[in-house]
Amino acid sequence: MLTGIELSLTIAQIIQRLRGSHLHSQIERQAKECLHQPDVKLESLKEDVRSFLKTSGWERKLQNAVYRELQLPPRHPPAPPEHLKEPLVYMRKAQASWEKRVLKSLNSMSTELGVPLAHMRPAAEQKELTNKWNEMGTDEPDLSRFRPVYAPKDFLEVLIGLRNPNHDSSEDISVRSHWGLIQVPLNVRDIPHLREAYSELNLTSGQMGIDDHALIHPAVLCTHSLFCLHVSCVVVMEEDSAAAQQYSRQGCPTGLRADLWALILNATNQPQDVMHYEQLKAGVIQHNLLVDNLIYKDVKLTASNDDYYFVFEDFLYQVLLCFSRDTAVLEHFKYNSATPPKSYIQGEIISVIPFHGFSMYVAPLCFLYNEPSKLYNVFREMYIRYFFRLHSISSHPSGILSLCLQFERLLQTHLPQLFYHLRQIGVQPLRLAFKWMVRAFSGYLSTDQLLLLWDRILGYDSLEVVAVLAAAVFAFRAENLMEVTSLASAEAVLADLSTLKVMPLIQVFLFATAM
């Protein structure tokens, strides 16, 4: 609970951030316009204006905006900016060192290929790109010279080598920490604490992803489905972000998932949002960035070869090319341990350097949104809330480092024989699971199951469930894994996750595992 002083400080910060927003000017305009209405009296002016804003829906929009601000990490003015980004010094240094390495790779590529980091497109190229904006997937540029700046396995090696210089590992009572790859002392939750935190996922609670496929009498199943649909419709109609987030903890109905996610993220598609997207599109058409080629390359290597996502190739180019230029993304660097890479050319700036698999953060969203500007806004919100944590070094509970440590601890504690067996044959479980976690399982699960997993990420405002699912997959395949004698055979056992059902795995692992 916040103290009185902390609460006052939080309220003041939220007011300050919202005061310059477009929503503030809209509410101010509506309040002025309502003064001309006959039922607004001078003697009860304040109450009448409030009543008007409530009945006209503006109060709810303000509540959602406040709720979104509350989901972002708090900002404490007395604390130095670098502490807000990451409180641990050795983590900040490790992230800075990693960034230098990535930038060096990007600059080396630019020098070797003779391709500038950014340049103005010739008029003919601008016209051509404008004409084929909606069919960029048909273009086949020569990308043979370009390579991904880094792959997830490169990033894993950096995480493995990370150590806290102030921590003496010899003081550890248990030797289990020496079994795993992650050697940093972070607090991660074990199953008893996870059960408490994820109580809505228990075996007796209804779940989208289980009950809708269960062998239940059709009449009972129909009644349950109609009830869930009715509740979700009410939540959407009320436009309540907090209620939508609570509801999604037990899964979203397929037909309303897009609306519920947009509501949770407070991702709107108002005229100003569409205009912002069009401005980004104009920036793409005017300027060519080196990272554009990396985006093309990544989409070609990943989504274009995926049975679920290849049809969305055009959408992926549109969203990612715009995203690479969006200065609004820079706001999240205030609470991200990373620093934005800069490549200025008449106002252009690179917001994120894509790595191998980056496009898979966008691909599943294409099943939900068919309007580019709406798709873009939802992805941007998903990224600045969650996905950035999967490729930056930090001590945050949802950071990739904590997820890796939690995955290893869950296996060591609850599947010790399996963990020991894999170590005996020279297999580190984290090396097999890391590629799943760094993509939040995108590209590995079937899309319907992936969306059920992401329902819970949004519902609990945490990526923790990703580590839980990774451990649950090992538990599910434990019998086969106990028989393997090499890395290749272990990889074969875990090669195909497309038939797995997410929610039964998570439920059984969390609530049916012996303590």
Side-chain angles (χ1 to χ4, degrees):
M1 289 290 291
L2 294 174
T3 64
I5 296 174
E6 289 175 329
L7 185 60
S8 299
L9 183 62
T10 300
I11 292 171
Q13 288 175 344
I14 291 174
I15 290 172
Q16 184 181 359
R17 292 202 292 268
L18 291 180
R19 183 163 281 152
S21 67
H22 184 74
L23 177 65
H24 176 258
S25 61
Q26 285 181 308
I27 292 176
E28 195 174 51
R29 190 184 312 118
Q30 291 294 322
K32 287 178 180 176
E33 289 179 3
C34 83
L35 298 177
H36 302 293
Q37 296 189 6
D39 52 344
V40 175
K41 303 289 190 288
L42 186 61
E43 56 272 16
S44 57
L45 182 62
K46 192 174 182 179
E47 291 74 16
D48 291 346
V49 171
R50 275 184 177 172
S51 176
F52 169 78
L53 293 175
K54 185 173 184 176
T55 55
S56 58
W58 288 101
E59 183 183 66
R60 178 68 74 190
K61 289 179 181 178
L62 179 59
Q63 287 175 350
N64 291 341
V66 170
Y67 189 70
R68 177 188 180 276
E69 292 294 330
L70 288 171
Q71 300 305 300
L72 299 175
R75 303 173 191 175
H76 304 291
E82 62 269 19
H83 284 245
L84 302 181
K85 290 167 72 66
E86 168 53 51
L88 300 178
V89 175
Y90 77 96
M91 291 273 188
R92 293 203 300 269
K93 287 182 178 178
Q95 175 63 33
S97 176
W98 171 243
E99 286 171 15
K100 286 179 184 176
R101 183 174 155 187
V102 171
L103 281 171
K104 183 179 178 181
S105 177
L106 187 68
N107 287 322
S108 296
M109 191 188 308
S110 173
T111 303
E112 288 170 18
L113 303 180
V115 177
L117 291 175
H119 67 272
M120 178 81 78
R121 297 184 195 273
E125 188 181 334
Q126 290 188 31
K127 184 177 180 181
E128 183 186 2
L129 183 55
T130 303
N131 292 335
K132 67 177 183 185
W133 179 258
N134 293 317
E135 47 190 41
M136 282 189 281
T138 60
D139 192 22
E140 293 289 342
D142 180 17
L143 302 171
S144 58
R145 300 183 303 158
F146 296 93
R147 63 187 185 278
V149 176
Y150 69 94
K153 63 181 180 180
D154 303 317
F155 187 46
L156 175 59
E157 295 303 323
V158 175
L159 301 182
I160 292 171
L162 196 59
R163 297 288 185 276
N164 183 347
N166 302 316
H167 179 72
D168 183 2
S169 59
S170 64
E171 295 176 359
D172 288 350
I173 298 173
S174 170
V175 296
R176 72 179 181 183
S177 63
H178 299 294
W179 293 4
L181 292 173
I182 303 301
Q183 297 293 316
V184 291
L186 295 175
N187 287 325
V188 292
R189 290 193 274 203
D190 199 359
I191 284 185
H193 298 104
L194 289 169
R195 285 178 178 174
E196 188 178 340
Y198 293 86
S199 58
E200 293 90 348
L201 303 185
N202 69 64
L203 297 168
T204 58
S205 298
Q207 301 290 332
M208 284 286 176
I210 296 181
D211 298 344
D212 41 337
H213 297 293
L215 296 175
I216 304 174
H217 190 280
V220 176
L221 184 60
C222 183
T223 304
H224 173 74
S225 298
L226 287 173
F227 174 74
C228 291
L229 193 61
H230 171 71
V231 173
S232 57
C233 284
V234 171
V235 170
V236 170
M237 287 175 63
E238 289 291 321
E239 296 186 341
D240 189 331
S241 293
Q245 186 167 48
Q246 182 66 35
Y247 180 85
S248 74
R249 291 185 173 191
Q250 290 170 270
C252 301
T254 304
L256 290 172
R257 178 175 280 122
D259 293 331
L260 288 166
W261 283 19
L263 197 51
I264 294 168
L265 297 164
N266 200 29
T268 58
N269 198 36
Q270 299 296 321
Q272 67 271 16
D273 300 310
V274 177
M275 184 171 68
H276 179 66
Y277 172 78
E278 290 297 327
Q279 289 171 341
L280 295 173
K281 175 182 170 182
V284 175
I285 290 169
Q286 289 171 7
H287 299 110
N288 188 10
L289 306 182
L290 175 59
V291 295
D292 292 352
N293 296 292
L294 300 181
I295 289 169
Y296 274 109
K297 183 84 171 184
D298 186 55
V299 173
K300 292 291 184 188
L301 289 175
T302 55
S304 295
N305 293 320
D306 191 288
D307 291 342
Y308 293 106
Y309 305 124
F310 72 94
V311 293
F312 301 121
E313 191 175 349
D314 295 330
F315 273 178
L316 295 177
Y317 292 136
Q318 292 169 8
V319 168
L320 288 169
L321 290 172
C322 288
F323 182 75
S324 66
R325 293 155 168 81
D326 193 352
T327 53
V329 177
L330 302 181
E331 181 71 16
H332 91 285
F333 284 105
K334 291 179 180 176
Y335 52 86
N336 181 354
S337 60
T339 305
K342 294 176 178 137
S343 173
Y344 290 107
I345 173 172
Q346 296 185 4
E348 290 292 340
I349 182 172
I350 303 172
S351 58
V352 176
I353 297 175
F355 58 90
H356 180 61
F358 189 81
S359 59
M360 298 305 286
Y361 291 145
V362 188
L365 301 175
C366 297
F367 276 95
L368 303 181
Y369 307 98
N370 57 14
E371 195 174 346
S373 58
K374 184 66 175 285
L375 170 63
Y376 178 79
N377 289 323
V378 170
F379 165 66
R380 187 179 64 192
E381 285 297 319
M382 286 285 283
Y383 181 83
I384 65 175
R385 282 203 199 186
Y386 307 111
F387 296 148
F388 80 90
R389 298 198 184 279
L390 296 174
H391 62 94
S392 55
I393 301 171
S394 79
S395 58
H396 193 277
S398 280
I400 189 64
L401 202 57
S402 293
L403 299 186
C404 290
L405 184 60
Q406 186 170 47
F407 164 76
E408 289 193 321
R409 291 278 174 83
L410 289 172
L411 286 194
Q412 290 164 358
T413 306
H414 302 287
L415 295 164
Q417 287 181 307
L418 174 60
F419 199 97
Y420 181 75
H421 169 70
L422 292 174
R423 292 291 292 109
Q424 285 293 97
I425 62 171
V427 176
Q428 276 286 4
L430 181 58
R431 291 193 185 277
L432 299 174
F434 186 75
K435 60 185 179 185
W436 307 335
M437 293 192 289
V438 80
R439 284 196 199 172
F441 279 90
S442 180
Y444 297 103
L445 297 171
S446 62
T447 305
D448 62 321
Q449 295 301 307
L450 181 73
L451 296 177
L452 288 168
L453 174 66
W454 286 12
D455 281 343
R456 276 69 184 189
I457 290 174
L458 285 161
Y460 288 96
D461 193 34
S462 171
L463 288 161
E464 206 171 28
V465 71
V466 171
V468 173
L469 178 59
V473 170
F474 272 74
F476 182 65
R477 298 270 168 89
E479 190 174 338
N480 300 101
L481 288 170
M482 288 297 292
E483 301 296 324
V484 303
T485 56
S486 66
L487 174 61
S489 51
E491 288 175 336
V493 169
L494 298 167
D496 183 13
L497 308 185
S498 62
T499 58
L500 298 183
K501 302 297 181 187
V502 164
M503 291 318 301
L505 283 181
I506 292 174
Q507 276 194 315
V508 169
F509 187 78
L510 283 183
F511 295 96
T513 298
M515 300 304 296

